[in-house]
């Protein structure tokens, strides 16, 4: 089996490649640092898939922003780029197309976390579903919650989380705004990689959420980091500041029941993995 990872230098792709190499040949595709050049923003006539690819996994994504240029780029990559990729997969008779979406695609405009990113991800999901149903392309869309992993690669997408980890490592107080102990859902990237591997092995199709089975509060995350680093940090709520709102979603374990696997890495274990990594390399 040959698997193509589009967005081959993304933080997810870096964790995913070793998991897939256990049972397949992996080819990475992207604008830089990959096995083959591939840009979803190029005209469709200039894009082609490598030969003899069985499965395509799209981890490439525009991250959003508030300027016109950022919004345009996000829609261009996340929606038009996905449409091009669907057509390429149909023409190449790909056996399975896996789109990595986001749980944020479920947000509506009433949410304070609603953005061009969440909107474009919903558009992306709908475009992929429409095209693939019309042309019989086997499709699975996975909507992971906020994923994190070991090392600096994951800081860009989770700056607040890694800021708390930094404070715990250095023994500084971890400050949380407001009086609400905000809830989040974090899933470790190693669990996400394992889930994707099983989705391929079981030839899953459909659209599924991909979250940790437990939501956690920011104070629980901070406590886990303090324990992992054996730190003397304290957690303080700055009640004069505005509350941080919750951002959680309805649980659905249908994917996990289908593949026979549930996320294994708790927030405590995730923090211990990060602490061990930092001790080894610093």
């Amino acid at each position: 089996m040959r698997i193509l990872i589009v967005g081959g230098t993304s933080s997810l792709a870096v964790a995913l490649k070793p998991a897939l190499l256990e049972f397949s040949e992996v080819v990475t595709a992207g604008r830089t640092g990959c096995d083959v050049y591939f840009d979803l923003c190029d005209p469709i006539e200039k894009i082609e898939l490598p030969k003899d690819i069985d499965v395509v996994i799209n981890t490439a994504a525009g991250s959003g922003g508030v300027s016109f240029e950022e919004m345009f780029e996000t829609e261009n990559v996340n929606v038009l780029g996905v449409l091009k990729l669907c057509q390429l997969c149909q023409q190449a008779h790909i056996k399975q197309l896996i789109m990595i979406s986001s749980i944020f695609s479920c947000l509506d405009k009433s949410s304070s976390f609603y953005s061009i990113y969440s909107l474009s991800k919903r558009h992306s999901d709908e475009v992929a579903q429409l095209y693939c149903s019309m042309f019989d392309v086997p499709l699975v869309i996975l909507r992971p919650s906020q994923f994190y992993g070991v090392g600096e690669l994951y800081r860009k997408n989770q700056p607040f989380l890694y800021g708390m980890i930094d404070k715990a490592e250095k023994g500084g107080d971890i400050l949380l705004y407001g009086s609400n102990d905000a809830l989040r859902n974090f899933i470790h990237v190693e669990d996400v990689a394992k889930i994707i591997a099983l989705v391929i092995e079981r030839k899953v199709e459909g659209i599924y959420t991909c979250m940790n089975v437990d939501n956690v509060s920011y104070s629980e995350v901070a406590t886990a980091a303090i324990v992992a680093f054996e730190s003397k940090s304290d957690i303080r709520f700055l009640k004069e500041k505005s509350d941080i709102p919750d951002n959680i979603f309805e649980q659905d374990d249908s994917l996990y029941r289908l593949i026979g696997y549930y996320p294994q890495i708790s927030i405590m274990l995730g923090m211990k993995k990060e602490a061990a990594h930092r001790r080894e390399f610093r």
Side-chain angles (χ1 to χ4, degrees), residues 21 143 147 152 225:
L21 283 172
R143 291 171 165 172
F147 63 80
E152 288 296 302

Side-chain angles (χ1 to χ4, degrees), residues 170-188:
K170 297 173 183 177
D173 287 351
I174 297 174
L175 307 178
L176 301 176
Y177 280 15
S179 56
N180 179 49
D181 194 1
L183 291 171
R184 294 290 185 271
N185 191 286
F186 292 110
I187 186 168
H188 200 278

